[in-house]
Amino acid sequence: MNRTSLSLLAAATALAAITGFAAMTAPAAGDTAAPGAAARLPVERTTQLCPAPSVSEVAETTYTSVTPTGKGGADREAAAEEGGSAELKKSTVTLAASDGADGDKKDTDKDSKGDKKDEKDEKKQDDAKQDEAKKNAVKEKPFVSLKEPGKPVTVEAGGADVPALVGVATGRFAPGWTTQQTTAVSVGDARGLLGMTCTAPDTDFWFPGASTERSRQDYVHLTNPDDSVAVVDIELYGKDGVIKSEAGEGIPVPARSTVPVLLSTLTADDAPSVTVHVTTRTGRVGAAVRAEDSAGGSDWLTAAADAGGRQIMPGIPADATDVRLVAFATGGDDADLKVQLAGADGTITPAGYETLHVKSKMTAALDLSDVTKGEAGALIVGPADGSRAAPVVTALRVVRGKGDKREIAFIPATGAIASRATVADNRAKGSTLYLTAPGEAAKVRVTASAGSGGGEAKTETYSVKAGTTLGVQPPVPAGLKGAYALTVEPESGGPVHAARMLSLPEDGIEMFTVQTMPDDRGTVSVPKAREDLSILDDGK
């Protein structure tokens, strides 16, 4: 072994000692030491972002937060560290020009004066402000805080000045941590029941189903959970492709702040169906669209599942009076989609709505009217017979009621539940759980948690026939007080897609909201490995 190999070996040995390896043993001759099967371990940290709920003075917002337990839950939390916490704190709502725009103006002034000393002083001041903001964030009392896994916590807030929330869960509170934000607005153009599961930060989001038409006021809410500025681009795509707009480029979102952007300020186009693409140049954000329809109703549109050749949208209520499918082809190829409805008795192709052609980088819409015909269902879109599976993102706009009694909700495409999914803020009355098995029959376990004010958890098992949607009134905890959470865990059979509708009628209006239930990603795959010093030998 030459000097180079010896140096490498010494460096590797030192690195192993620093990182905490107990021992290093060179493998025997001919031993390849293939890594073992990956283990599923609970995540140790989860971040959540809840946008500012409303601009209405009569808005009433309820936050329900929970970390699930039970089968697949308690076992995972037991494997996590005993400590930890789950807290949501207030962020800053930014409505005017951001720090980034002010910074550009300051830089211009400084360049004109050529005053380098002032530039250094201002940088010190900015750094000091950032440090002070970090200290204040640590000192701030949590807006929502969990005490123990399995028991939801509910916090209520009213009016138009409720800010966005930024939260972190660690240790035993992290796996599956879920928070529901539910807002009831009884009057005005924003009238309706707005609900969403608070989201995780990311760098890329698709929102098919937004709009810039005159009857709509759609805002993209951008929330930055970190201690540095994020820079965001917003692209809009209509039926003819990209809608040009420089106003959507390079939007700064200050640290631990939220910025709402009205879509109609980005373009003069009056488009009934628009796909919104949110990406970050630097940093990460949470993103969601708050849609208000002056014709009646409002709700949150959350990001659709990753683009793919097949998309499933569960949770269409049986009494839907109108359903609109919006699809966008993200790739370089057109998509010819076959449209199917998975109902109570099987999967059918609705007469007159068999296919939808979506051109590359364009938005297409299909009005399906009252496609459910009195039965709950899920819409399934995939490549038409013999066509190529071009990737698409999809969502539904669903209407209940008619005329001045109408109310809207949105159902983005969602993935199957791999291990566990949870939705919070269920009431003693008004919750409907939708379970769709698009392929093989499946059996799932549904757990109703204890209530936020008391009650005992309850569990039921449901069987879903192949190619059908099962709509059920979920189990309610015994002695329920307050709100509770529902956790769905597949036990056998094929993939299951799920959603929950919360319906809170008011003044004869069937006010409702639908939340899809993707997998909570409460565990992460950690491959088993062993040291192999043979990779350090250069063969000389």
Side-chain angles (χ1 to χ4, degrees):
M1 186 178 291
N2 59 23
R3 291 183 178 180
T4 301
S5 299
L6 289 172
S7 298
L8 288 171
L9 179 57
T13 305
L15 178 62
I18 292 172
T19 55
F21 286 121
M24 293 185 65
T25 304
D31 184 2
T32 58
R40 300 293 304 184
L41 297 178
V43 298
E44 297 180 356
R45 183 182 177 88
T46 301
T47 301
Q48 279 186 11
L49 306 172
C50 309
S54 180
V55 295
S56 173
E57 292 293 342
V58 298
E60 298 178 355
T61 300
T62 300
Y63 295 91
T64 305
S65 188
V66 67
T67 294
T69 58
K71 179 185 175 185
D75 294 343
R76 290 194 271 191
E77 275 79 58
E81 58 186 271
E82 286 300 316
S85 63
E87 298 178 340
L88 284 158
K89 296 182 179 181
K90 297 178 181 180
S91 72
T92 303
V93 178
T94 304
L95 297 174
S98 68
D99 293 343
D102 293 340
D104 291 340
K105 183 177 184 301
K106 291 175 184 177
D107 288 342
T108 301
D109 293 341
K110 285 180 288 187
D111 288 341
S112 64
K113 295 178 181 179
D115 193 342
K116 299 297 183 182
K117 182 177 182 299
D118 288 347
E119 183 177 353
K120 292 180 180 179
D121 290 343
E122 288 184 5
K123 185 179 186 305
K124 289 181 180 179
Q125 292 175 4
D126 290 341
D127 291 342
K129 289 180 180 179
Q130 289 283 355
D131 291 340
E132 185 65 23
K134 292 178 183 179
K135 291 178 182 178
N136 291 337
V138 173
K139 295 178 181 178
E140 181 188 349
K141 182 179 179 181
F143 187 80
V144 179
S145 180
L146 292 188
K147 296 181 179 180
E148 58 182 286
K151 185 176 181 179
V153 169
T154 298
V155 176
E156 297 182 350
D161 58 352
V162 181
L165 303 180
V166 176
V168 174
T170 59
R172 64 196 180 107
F173 291 92
W177 183 40
T178 302
T179 301
Q180 164 95 9
Q181 173 181 295
T182 307
T183 303
V185 181
S186 57
V187 296
D189 288 345
R191 187 267 299 156
L193 186 68
L194 300 88
M196 67 171 290
T197 298
C198 297
T199 62
D202 207 338
T203 59
D204 195 307
F205 306 84
W206 288 100
F207 300 95
S211 177
T212 60
E213 65 181 338
R214 293 179 182 177
S215 65
R216 287 272 290 269
Q217 293 280 300
D218 287 16
Y219 288 83
V220 179
H221 284 246
L222 307 170
T223 305
N224 179 3
D226 299 319
D227 294 326
S228 58
V229 175
V231 180
V232 178
D233 290 332
I234 300 176
E235 296 176 303
L236 306 180
Y237 296 87
K239 61 183 180 62
D240 298 318
V242 65
I243 299 174
K244 294 183 180 179
S245 171
E246 294 183 359
E249 298 179 359
I251 300 172
V253 184
R256 297 185 62 80
S257 298
T258 185
V259 174
V261 180
L262 179 61
L263 292 186
S264 60
T265 64
L266 304 182
T267 176
D269 286 11
D270 185 8
S273 296
V274 168
T275 298
V276 180
H277 189 203
V278 175
T279 57
T280 63
R281 297 185 186 183
T282 60
R284 56 180 188 159
V285 296
V289 176
R290 192 183 73 224
E292 301 173 5
D293 190 343
S294 61
S298 60
D299 207 347
W300 288 99
L301 169 61
T302 54
D306 293 341
R310 192 167 188 248
Q311 301 285 286
I312 298 174
M313 292 149 278
I316 307 174
D319 61 352
T321 54
D322 186 65
V323 176
R324 173 182 289 178
L325 166 65
V326 180
F328 177 80
T330 60
D333 296 324
D334 294 357
D336 286 302
L337 301 177
K338 182 179 181 180
V339 180
Q340 295 180 297
L341 179 71
D345 299 319
T347 300
I348 64 170
T349 300
Y353 309 108
E354 293 86 358
T355 60
L356 176 64
H357 180 71
V358 188
K359 294 182 179 180
S360 171
K361 304 294 184 180
M362 298 184 187
T363 298
L366 182 63
D367 287 313
L368 300 167
S369 187
D370 56 342
V371 65
T372 57
K373 304 297 182 184
E375 292 184 356
L379 205 68
I380 303 172
V381 298
D385 294 341
S387 66
R388 183 176 178 181
V392 295
V393 289
T394 62
L396 300 177
R397 187 208 64 184
V398 178
V399 177
R400 296 176 74 199
K402 296 181 179 180
D404 60 357
K405 301 295 185 182
R406 73 196 299 267
E407 162 74 318
I408 63 171
F410 297 91
I411 304 175
T414 188
I417 302 173
S419 179
R420 182 179 67 175
T422 298
V423 63
D425 196 7
N426 296 278
R427 317 289 175 92
K429 295 181 180 179
S431 294
T432 305
L433 179 65
Y434 302 97
L435 304 168
T436 299
E440 301 176 11
K443 181 180 290 186
V444 300
R445 175 188 175 101
V446 178
T447 300
S449 74
S452 57
E456 297 182 3
K458 186 176 181 180
T459 299
E460 296 282 354
T461 300
Y462 298 96
S463 296
V464 189
K465 297 178 181 178
T468 69
T469 293
L470 176 65
V472 297
Q473 302 303 309
V476 176
L480 172 66
K481 293 181 180 179
Y484 69 101
L486 283 173
T487 298
V488 178
E489 298 163 297
E491 290 200 328
S492 63
V496 173
H497 300 249
R500 187 284 320 265
M501 178 178 72
L502 179 62
S503 180
L504 301 176
E506 184 171 334
D507 295 332
I509 301 173
E510 292 295 332
M511 293 170 59
F512 77 114
T513 181
V514 178
Q515 279 68 57
T516 56
M517 299 177 65
D519 191 82
D520 66 16
R521 299 181 180 179
T523 61
V524 63
S525 179
V526 180
K528 295 180 180 179
R530 58 172 295 180
E531 297 76 31
D532 183 359
L533 297 184
S534 64
I535 63 173
L536 302 177
D537 190 349
D538 61 6
K540 295 180 180 180

